[in-house]
Amino acid sequence: MLRVIFTLDYEIHGNGQGCPHALMVEPTERLLRLFDEYGAKLTILADVAEIMKFKEYKDVHGRDTYHYEAIAEQLRRAIETGHDVQLHIHSSYFNARIENGRWAQDWSEYDFASLPYERMDWMIRTGKQFLENLLRPVDPNYRCVAFRAANWSVSPSRNVVLALVGNGIEIDTSVFKYGRRSGIVNFDYSHAHSAIVPWPVHDEDICVRNDDGALWEVPIYSERRWLGAFATPGRVHRALSGWRHRLAREAGSTSDSDRAPPSGVRIRWVSVLLKKHAWKADFNQCSGQQLINALHRAARSHDSEAQGVLPFVLIGHSKLFTLRNERTVRPFLAHSLRHPERFGFGTLSRSVLPCKPGVPA
Ligand SMILES: [Zn+2]
């Protein structure tokens, strides 16, 4: 049995541009309406650093230019209606200032995993408190227990694991097996314990299983695939949007799909074509049929080893949830619903971990 868990990074563009109503509130409203039709659940991973800035702007200027109240209301209503809200942190926003109509961020704090422990600890504590203060009035039992770092940056892991556990966070969902980045963030998750089976993490390396670990990694579902699997309209939209709203610093960055060998562009493209790449179950970028096929592959390859229910974690971004995207997600929802004996819907903080004393079931 697989539990389908939709996680949504809830934020504006990474370079500080964009209207929070258009990029967060409006698309998430459509997503919640769509999910409610099918009984599916959304786990909103709310970037508290941005949201706190929008609130601060309102408090200081007396104008809700960045739609803080609509965001707060949407998060409260999500909890009220059985969806989930958990912690996402774009650390560079904590010191952000408005410059020429966009949020100018503190680039020295861009890479979460490389921050000093004390700073990281403060950010997690502040973010968790913010969500619990906001959401407990609608659900007294609400707890912030799950986390995703911006740009999946949880390596090196020592400070991250220590700070998450110290603040009562029980689940990290930043890792996707086979993923690699080098540049403004740096990680290599090739050796992650699994692409789908959660594991208690080792203090020194979040990719490694340690049965005594207090923090669980619930990975974003991923596979290694040839380049052709990446040719979808959703991915073209993401690439164009990313290019339009790119960071000035990104020129120097490489990812696992654009790492250049020393001998030039032609060889580089041959290498890109001949290599397999980390393919995440991304509900903005994958076609509906790709998601359905991946769900079945995951069920086939993992059901026998499963101790009960396994989470099939998808990732998406509110800012990329277009009207076209509704038409790719709908068949996947309908398919999951048609096979209740094999697939169910769930949230990140409920029903994803194997039963273990002290761990939420
Ligand atoms: Zn994000």
Side-chain angles (χ1 to χ4, degrees):
M1 172 93 183
L2 295 184
R3 182 88 69 214
V4 176
I5 295 170
F6 286 90
T7 62
L8 183 78
D9 289 14
Y10 186 72
E11 62 200 26
I12 59 170
H13 294 298
N15 68 352
Q17 282 180 324
C19 165
H21 195 276
L23 299 175
M24 297 161 72
V25 178
E26 188 277 330
T28 303
E29 207 53 50
R30 279 189 288 112
L31 205 44
L32 289 169
R33 255 199 326 265
L34 176 67
F35 279 24
D36 286 344
E37 270 184 58
Y38 292 88
K41 297 295 169 201
L42 185 63
T43 299
I44 299 175
L45 293 169
D47 176 13
V48 290
E50 289 177 36
I51 296 171
M52 288 171 68
K53 276 289 152 189
F54 303 155
K55 180 177 190 303
E56 182 187 288
Y57 187 95
K58 172 178 175 273
D59 293 346
V60 170
H61 296 87
R63 286 192 313 274
D64 194 7
T65 308
Y66 295 95
H67 304 276
Y68 170 73
E69 290 301 336
I71 289 169
E73 182 51 30
Q74 181 162 63
L75 297 180
R76 284 192 289 254
R77 219 172 44 253
I79 288 293
E80 252 170 8
T81 51
H83 299 280
D84 195 7
V85 177
Q86 296 293 334
L87 183 62
H88 185 41
I89 291 182
H90 277 252
S91 36
S92 54
Y93 273 96
F94 279 106
N95 290 333
R97 286 167 294 109
I98 280 290
E99 270 173 22
N100 305 321
R102 74 156 81 171
W103 290 96
Q105 292 157 73
D106 180 350
W107 301 118
S108 72
E109 295 197 332
Y110 187 78
D111 180 19
F112 182 76
S114 67
L115 294 175
Y117 167 77
E118 291 72 20
R119 184 67 174 145
M120 206 180 265
D121 176 57
W122 177 87
M123 288 180 181
I124 295 166
R125 190 166 60 251
T126 303
K128 179 181 163 85
Q129 273 169 6
F130 176 82
L131 289 183
E132 292 183 344
N133 290 342
L134 180 71
L135 300 171
R136 279 196 177 150
V138 292
D139 177 4
N141 296 319
Y142 171 80
R143 292 193 316 138
C144 171
V145 293
F147 170 79
R148 175 175 295 149
N151 303 295
W152 311 282
S153 176
V154 289
S155 177
S157 313
R158 195 169 199 280
N159 287 345
V160 181
V161 175
L162 202 63
L164 289 175
V165 170
N167 285 292
I169 301 291
E170 295 161 1
I171 295 169
D172 175 75
T173 183
S174 307
V175 171
F176 57 106
K177 191 169 169 68
Y178 316 115
R180 291 193 299 162
R181 295 287 186 278
S182 63
I184 48 181
V185 299
N186 291 280
F187 58 79
D188 184 347
Y189 299 148
S190 314
H191 66 297
H193 175 71
S194 172
I196 186 167
V197 183
W199 66 92
V201 311
H202 195 285
D203 292 359
E204 300 288 337
D205 185 349
I206 204 161
C207 289
V208 173
R209 182 184 170 106
N210 169 15
D211 287 344
D212 299 325
L215 179 73
W216 284 72
E217 180 61 39
V218 179
I220 302 161
Y221 180 77
S222 60
E223 298 178 359
R224 284 180 76 221
R225 302 189 62 177
W226 302 110
L227 204 60
F230 295 81
T232 59
R235 220 168 276 280
V236 172
H237 174 76
R238 164 84 196 216
L240 289 174
S241 170
W243 185 80
R244 275 200 301 271
H245 303 286
R246 66 195 179 280
L247 309 179
R249 298 170 44 127
E250 270 179 344
S253 167
T254 61
S255 76
D256 53 354
S257 57
D258 62 10
R259 188 185 305 271
S263 37
V265 171
R266 215 167 57 211
I267 293 176
R268 175 185 144 180
W269 273 102
V270 171
S271 142
V272 167
L273 286 170
L274 294 181
K275 262 176 33 186
K276 286 187 174 181
H277 306 271
W279 179 93
K280 294 190 283 303
D282 182 318
F283 64 87
N284 299 127
Q285 302 187 62
C286 303
S287 71
Q289 194 56 50
Q290 281 185 325
L291 293 178
I292 292 169
N293 294 345
L295 185 68
H296 281 272
R297 277 195 300 275
R300 271 200 307 277
S301 50
H302 294 283
D303 253 9
S304 53
E305 68 180 81
Q307 311 274 317
V309 178
L310 279 181
F312 181 86
V313 177
L314 299 104
I315 183 173
H317 288 76
S318 56
K319 64 193 171 200
L320 296 174
F321 188 66
T322 58
L323 292 170
R324 184 203 54 77
N325 200 176
E326 282 189 45
R327 294 196 294 275
T328 63
V329 174
R330 196 178 278 279
F332 178 75
L333 291 170
H335 186 86
S336 307
L337 195 61
R338 271 201 303 276
H339 300 279
E341 73 295 347
R342 303 180 67 189
F343 312 121
F345 296 116
T347 63
L348 196 56
S349 68
R350 293 191 291 273
S351 328
V352 295
L353 298 181
C355 287
K356 188 186 162 192
V359 166

PDB file of all heavy atoms in Angstrom, residues 192-216:
ATOM      1  N   ALA A 192      21.764   8.013  -0.881  1.00  0.00           N
ATOM      2  CA  ALA A 192      20.652   8.048   0.083  1.00  0.00           C
ATOM      3  C   ALA A 192      20.110   6.639   0.289  1.00  0.00           C
ATOM      4  O   ALA A 192      20.048   5.834  -0.650  1.00  0.00           O
ATOM      5  CB  ALA A 192      19.548   8.970  -0.427  1.00  0.00           C
ATOM      6  N   HIS A 193      19.689   6.359   1.522  1.00  0.00           N
ATOM      7  CA  HIS A 193      19.259   5.015   1.912  1.00  0.00           C
ATOM      8  C   HIS A 193      18.194   4.460   0.970  1.00  0.00           C
ATOM      9  O   HIS A 193      18.226   3.280   0.608  1.00  0.00           O
ATOM     10  CB  HIS A 193      18.730   5.076   3.356  1.00  0.00           C
ATOM     11  CG  HIS A 193      18.148   3.803   3.845  1.00  0.00           C
ATOM     12  ND1 HIS A 193      18.926   2.704   4.132  1.00  0.00           N
ATOM     13  CD2 HIS A 193      16.859   3.435   4.071  1.00  0.00           C
ATOM     14  CE1 HIS A 193      18.133   1.710   4.534  1.00  0.00           C
ATOM     15  NE2 HIS A 193      16.887   2.131   4.504  1.00  0.00           N
ATOM     16  N   SER A 194      17.227   5.285   0.565  1.00  0.00           N
ATOM     17  CA  SER A 194      16.151   4.808  -0.301  1.00  0.00           C
ATOM     18  C   SER A 194      15.516   5.977  -1.040  1.00  0.00           C
ATOM     19  O   SER A 194      15.629   7.125  -0.623  1.00  0.00           O
ATOM     20  CB  SER A 194      15.082   4.105   0.549  1.00  0.00           C
ATOM     21  OG  SER A 194      13.948   3.790  -0.243  1.00  0.00           O
ATOM     22  N   ALA A 195      14.834   5.662  -2.137  1.00  0.00           N
ATOM     23  CA  ALA A 195      14.072   6.684  -2.860  1.00  0.00           C
ATOM     24  C   ALA A 195      12.659   6.789  -2.327  1.00  0.00           C
ATOM     25  O   ALA A 195      11.918   7.706  -2.691  1.00  0.00           O
ATOM     26  CB  ALA A 195      14.026   6.347  -4.346  1.00  0.00           C
ATOM     27  N   ILE A 196      12.270   5.868  -1.450  1.00  0.00           N
ATOM     28  CA  ILE A 196      10.872   5.849  -1.003  1.00  0.00           C
ATOM     29  C   ILE A 196      10.682   5.388   0.445  1.00  0.00           C
ATOM     30  O   ILE A 196       9.777   5.860   1.122  1.00  0.00           O
ATOM     31  CB  ILE A 196      10.017   4.987  -1.982  1.00  0.00           C
ATOM     32  CG1 ILE A 196       8.525   5.070  -1.631  1.00  0.00           C
ATOM     33  CG2 ILE A 196      10.478   3.534  -1.997  1.00  0.00           C
ATOM     34  CD1 ILE A 196       7.606   4.520  -2.690  1.00  0.00           C
ATOM     35  N   VAL A 197      11.533   4.494   0.930  1.00  0.00           N
ATOM     36  CA  VAL A 197      11.350   3.974   2.288  1.00  0.00           C
ATOM     37  C   VAL A 197      11.962   4.957   3.291  1.00  0.00           C
ATOM     38  O   VAL A 197      13.159   5.250   3.216  1.00  0.00           O
ATOM     39  CB  VAL A 197      12.041   2.592   2.460  1.00  0.00           C
ATOM     40  CG1 VAL A 197      11.768   2.041   3.858  1.00  0.00           C
ATOM     41  CG2 VAL A 197      11.580   1.625   1.392  1.00  0.00           C
ATOM     42  N   PRO A 198      11.171   5.507   4.234  1.00  0.00           N
ATOM     43  CA  PRO A 198      11.733   6.440   5.224  1.00  0.00           C
ATOM     44  C   PRO A 198      12.778   5.757   6.103  1.00  0.00           C
ATOM     45  O   PRO A 198      12.702   4.548   6.315  1.00  0.00           O
ATOM     46  CB  PRO A 198      10.514   6.841   6.074  1.00  0.00           C
ATOM     47  CG  PRO A 198       9.325   6.507   5.256  1.00  0.00           C
ATOM     48  CD  PRO A 198       9.711   5.324   4.423  1.00  0.00           C
ATOM     49  N   TRP A 199      13.728   6.551   6.588  1.00  0.00           N
ATOM     50  CA  TRP A 199      14.734   5.978   7.485  1.00  0.00           C
ATOM     51  C   TRP A 199      15.083   6.959   8.606  1.00  0.00           C
ATOM     52  O   TRP A 199      15.056   8.177   8.382  1.00  0.00           O
ATOM     53  CB  TRP A 199      15.995   5.589   6.703  1.00  0.00           C
ATOM     54  CG  TRP A 199      16.764   6.725   6.093  1.00  0.00           C
ATOM     55  CD1 TRP A 199      17.813   7.416   6.645  1.00  0.00           C
ATOM     56  CD2 TRP A 199      16.571   7.316   4.789  1.00  0.00           C
ATOM     57  NE1 TRP A 199      18.277   8.378   5.776  1.00  0.00           N
ATOM     58  CE2 TRP A 199      17.534   8.336   4.636  1.00  0.00           C
ATOM     59  CE3 TRP A 199      15.674   7.068   3.740  1.00  0.00           C
ATOM     60  CZ2 TRP A 199      17.629   9.116   3.484  1.00  0.00           C
ATOM     61  CZ3 TRP A 199      15.763   7.852   2.585  1.00  0.00           C
ATOM     62  CH2 TRP A 199      16.732   8.869   2.470  1.00  0.00           C
ATOM     63  N   PRO A 200      15.403   6.403   9.803  1.00  0.00           N
ATOM     64  CA  PRO A 200      15.934   7.257  10.866  1.00  0.00           C
ATOM     65  C   PRO A 200      17.373   7.615  10.502  1.00  0.00           C
ATOM     66  O   PRO A 200      18.146   6.736  10.103  1.00  0.00           O
ATOM     67  CB  PRO A 200      15.873   6.368  12.113  1.00  0.00           C
ATOM     68  CG  PRO A 200      15.796   4.973  11.610  1.00  0.00           C
ATOM     69  CD  PRO A 200      15.313   4.978  10.194  1.00  0.00           C
ATOM     70  N   VAL A 201      17.722   8.892  10.596  1.00  0.00           N
ATOM     71  CA  VAL A 201      18.987   9.335   9.982  1.00  0.00           C
ATOM     72  C   VAL A 201      20.157   9.302  10.959  1.00  0.00           C
ATOM     73  O   VAL A 201      19.996   9.404  12.175  1.00  0.00           O
ATOM     74  CB  VAL A 201      18.874  10.755   9.373  1.00  0.00           C
ATOM     75  CG1 VAL A 201      17.647  10.864   8.489  1.00  0.00           C
ATOM     76  CG2 VAL A 201      18.852  11.836  10.449  1.00  0.00           C
ATOM     77  N   HIS A 202      21.325   9.181  10.379  1.00  0.00           N
ATOM     78  CA  HIS A 202      22.579   9.272  11.108  1.00  0.00           C
ATOM     79  C   HIS A 202      22.891  10.751  11.344  1.00  0.00           C
ATOM     80  O   HIS A 202      22.692  11.579  10.450  1.00  0.00           O
ATOM     81  CB  HIS A 202      23.683   8.627  10.268  1.00  0.00           C
ATOM     82  CG  HIS A 202      24.920   8.344  11.051  1.00  0.00           C
ATOM     83  ND1 HIS A 202      25.799   9.328  11.418  1.00  0.00           N
ATOM     84  CD2 HIS A 202      25.403   7.184  11.552  1.00  0.00           C
ATOM     85  CE1 HIS A 202      26.791   8.787  12.113  1.00  0.00           C
ATOM     86  NE2 HIS A 202      26.569   7.492  12.214  1.00  0.00           N
ATOM     87  N   ASP A 203      23.383  11.079  12.547  1.00  0.00           N
ATOM     88  CA  ASP A 203      23.667  12.482  12.885  1.00  0.00           C
ATOM     89  C   ASP A 203      24.631  13.157  11.907  1.00  0.00           C
ATOM     90  O   ASP A 203      24.547  14.351  11.655  1.00  0.00           O
ATOM     91  CB  ASP A 203      24.338  12.573  14.270  1.00  0.00           C
ATOM     92  CG  ASP A 203      23.377  12.173  15.368  1.00  0.00           C
ATOM     93  OD1 ASP A 203      22.219  11.862  15.040  1.00  0.00           O
ATOM     94  OD2 ASP A 203      23.797  12.166  16.543  1.00  0.00           O
ATOM     95  N   GLU A 204      25.576  12.375  11.390  1.00  0.00           N
ATOM     96  CA  GLU A 204      26.626  12.961  10.562  1.00  0.00           C
ATOM     97  C   GLU A 204      26.265  12.993   9.083  1.00  0.00           C
ATOM     98  O   GLU A 204      26.878  13.728   8.318  1.00  0.00           O
ATOM     99  CB  GLU A 204      27.930  12.144  10.710  1.00  0.00           C
ATOM    100  CG  GLU A 204      28.476  12.082  12.119  1.00  0.00           C
ATOM    101  CD  GLU A 204      29.072  13.414  12.565  1.00  0.00           C
ATOM    102  OE1 GLU A 204      29.459  14.213  11.685  1.00  0.00           O
ATOM    103  OE2 GLU A 204      29.147  13.625  13.800  1.00  0.00           O
ATOM    104  N   ASP A 205      25.316  12.156   8.675  1.00  0.00           N
ATOM    105  CA  ASP A 205      24.976  12.072   7.258  1.00  0.00           C
ATOM    106  C   ASP A 205      23.512  11.671   7.105  1.00  0.00           C
ATOM    107  O   ASP A 205      23.138  10.530   7.352  1.00  0.00           O
ATOM    108  CB  ASP A 205      25.890  11.050   6.557  1.00  0.00           C
ATOM    109  CG  ASP A 205      25.653  11.028   5.053  1.00  0.00           C
ATOM    110  OD1 ASP A 205      24.662  11.629   4.581  1.00  0.00           O
ATOM    111  OD2 ASP A 205      26.470  10.396   4.340  1.00  0.00           O
ATOM    112  N   ILE A 206      22.719  12.623   6.688  1.00  0.00           N
ATOM    113  CA  ILE A 206      21.266  12.435   6.614  1.00  0.00           C
ATOM    114  C   ILE A 206      20.883  11.331   5.626  1.00  0.00           C
ATOM    115  O   ILE A 206      19.791  10.778   5.702  1.00  0.00           O
ATOM    116  CB  ILE A 206      20.602  13.792   6.254  1.00  0.00           C
ATOM    117  CG1 ILE A 206      19.150  13.837   6.716  1.00  0.00           C
ATOM    118  CG2 ILE A 206      20.742  14.105   4.775  1.00  0.00           C
ATOM    119  CD1 ILE A 206      18.573  15.233   6.832  1.00  0.00           C
ATOM    120  N   CYS A 207      21.786  10.994   4.712  1.00  0.00           N
ATOM    121  CA  CYS A 207      21.503   9.947   3.720  1.00  0.00           C
ATOM    122  C   CYS A 207      21.641   8.546   4.300  1.00  0.00           C
ATOM    123  O   CYS A 207      21.225   7.567   3.683  1.00  0.00           O
ATOM    124  CB  CYS A 207      22.450  10.085   2.531  1.00  0.00           C
ATOM    125  SG  CYS A 207      22.070  11.516   1.517  1.00  0.00           S
ATOM    126  N   VAL A 208      22.274   8.443   5.469  1.00  0.00           N
ATOM    127  CA  VAL A 208      22.608   7.133   6.038  1.00  0.00           C
ATOM    128  C   VAL A 208      21.618   6.778   7.135  1.00  0.00           C
ATOM    129  O   VAL A 208      21.239   7.622   7.951  1.00  0.00           O
ATOM    130  CB  VAL A 208      24.054   7.164   6.605  1.00  0.00           C
ATOM    131  CG1 VAL A 208      24.381   5.883   7.371  1.00  0.00           C
ATOM    132  CG2 VAL A 208      25.041   7.382   5.466  1.00  0.00           C
ATOM    133  N   ARG A 209      21.210   5.509   7.141  1.00  0.00           N
ATOM    134  CA  ARG A 209      20.271   5.029   8.160  1.00  0.00           C
ATOM    135  C   ARG A 209      20.998   4.729   9.465  1.00  0.00           C
ATOM    136  O   ARG A 209      22.081   4.159   9.477  1.00  0.00           O
ATOM    137  CB  ARG A 209      19.586   3.756   7.653  1.00  0.00           C
ATOM    138  CG  ARG A 209      18.554   3.223   8.624  1.00  0.00           C
ATOM    139  CD  ARG A 209      17.928   1.906   8.162  1.00  0.00           C
ATOM    140  NE  ARG A 209      17.138   1.391   9.270  1.00  0.00           N
ATOM    141  CZ  ARG A 209      15.801   1.416   9.324  1.00  0.00           C
ATOM    142  NH1 ARG A 209      15.121   1.869   8.311  1.00  0.00           N
ATOM    143  NH2 ARG A 209      15.167   0.968  10.382  1.00  0.00           N
ATOM    144  N   ASN A 210      20.374   5.163  10.570  1.00  0.00           N
ATOM    145  CA  ASN A 210      20.875   4.795  11.896  1.00  0.00           C
ATOM    146  C   ASN A 210      19.652   4.471  12.745  1.00  0.00           C
ATOM    147  O   ASN A 210      18.824   5.361  13.003  1.00  0.00           O
ATOM    148  CB  ASN A 210      21.653   5.972  12.502  1.00  0.00           C
ATOM    149  CG  ASN A 210      21.964   5.747  13.964  1.00  0.00           C
ATOM    150  OD1 ASN A 210      21.856   4.624  14.473  1.00  0.00           O
ATOM    151  ND2 ASN A 210      22.341   6.807  14.673  1.00  0.00           N
ATOM    152  N   ASP A 211      19.536   3.226  13.153  1.00  0.00           N
ATOM    153  CA  ASP A 211      18.310   2.792  13.839  1.00  0.00           C
ATOM    154  C   ASP A 211      18.002   3.605  15.082  1.00  0.00           C
ATOM    155  O   ASP A 211      16.853   3.671  15.510  1.00  0.00           O
ATOM    156  CB  ASP A 211      18.396   1.301  14.186  1.00  0.00           C
ATOM    157  CG  ASP A 211      18.252   0.448  12.928  1.00  0.00           C
ATOM    158  OD1 ASP A 211      17.804   0.994  11.903  1.00  0.00           O
ATOM    159  OD2 ASP A 211      18.612  -0.744  12.968  1.00  0.00           O
ATOM    160  N   ASP A 212      19.019   4.237  15.675  1.00  0.00           N
ATOM    161  CA  ASP A 212      18.792   5.035  16.885  1.00  0.00           C
ATOM    162  C   ASP A 212      18.494   6.504  16.570  1.00  0.00           C
ATOM    163  O   ASP A 212      18.310   7.309  17.485  1.00  0.00           O
ATOM    164  CB  ASP A 212      20.023   4.972  17.798  1.00  0.00           C
ATOM    165  CG  ASP A 212      20.286   3.532  18.239  1.00  0.00           C
ATOM    166  OD1 ASP A 212      19.296   2.797  18.433  1.00  0.00           O
ATOM    167  OD2 ASP A 212      21.473   3.154  18.362  1.00  0.00           O
ATOM    168  N   GLY A 213      18.473   6.866  15.312  1.00  0.00           N
ATOM    169  CA  GLY A 213      18.294   8.276  14.937  1.00  0.00           C
ATOM    170  C   GLY A 213      16.945   8.822  15.389  1.00  0.00           C
ATOM    171  O   GLY A 213      15.931   8.116  15.333  1.00  0.00           O
ATOM    172  N   ALA A 214      16.933  10.084  15.833  1.00  0.00           N
ATOM    173  CA  ALA A 214      15.681  10.691  16.313  1.00  0.00           C
ATOM    174  C   ALA A 214      14.918  11.381  15.188  1.00  0.00           C
ATOM    175  O   ALA A 214      13.732  11.653  15.313  1.00  0.00           O
ATOM    176  CB  ALA A 214      15.995  11.702  17.413  1.00  0.00           C
ATOM    177  N   LEU A 215      15.609  11.686  14.097  1.00  0.00           N
ATOM    178  CA  LEU A 215      14.977  12.360  12.961  1.00  0.00           C
ATOM    179  C   LEU A 215      14.765  11.354  11.836  1.00  0.00           C
ATOM    180  O   LEU A 215      15.655  10.553  11.553  1.00  0.00           O
ATOM    181  CB  LEU A 215      15.892  13.488  12.462  1.00  0.00           C
ATOM    182  CG  LEU A 215      15.396  14.279  11.248  1.00  0.00           C
ATOM    183  CD1 LEU A 215      14.249  15.210  11.637  1.00  0.00           C
ATOM    184  CD2 LEU A 215      16.544  15.092  10.632  1.00  0.00           C
ATOM    185  N   TRP A 216      13.584  11.387  11.213  1.00  0.00           N
ATOM    186  CA  TRP A 216      13.305  10.508  10.072  1.00  0.00           C
ATOM    187  C   TRP A 216      13.404  11.294   8.779  1.00  0.00           C
ATOM    188  O   TRP A 216      12.900  12.416   8.692  1.00  0.00           O
ATOM    189  CB  TRP A 216      11.904   9.903  10.190  1.00  0.00           C
ATOM    190  CG  TRP A 216      11.843   8.798  11.188  1.00  0.00           C
ATOM    191  CD1 TRP A 216      11.898   8.915  12.552  1.00  0.00           C
ATOM    192  CD2 TRP A 216      11.746   7.401  10.906  1.00  0.00           C
ATOM    193  NE1 TRP A 216      11.843   7.666  13.134  1.00  0.00           N
ATOM    194  CE2 TRP A 216      11.736   6.725  12.144  1.00  0.00           C
ATOM    195  CE3 TRP A 216      11.657   6.651   9.715  1.00  0.00           C
ATOM    196  CZ2 TRP A 216      11.644   5.334  12.236  1.00  0.00           C
ATOM    197  CZ3 TRP A 216      11.561   5.278   9.809  1.00  0.00           C
ATOM    198  CH2 TRP A 216      11.571   4.620  11.063  1.00  0.00           C
TER     199      TRP A 216
END
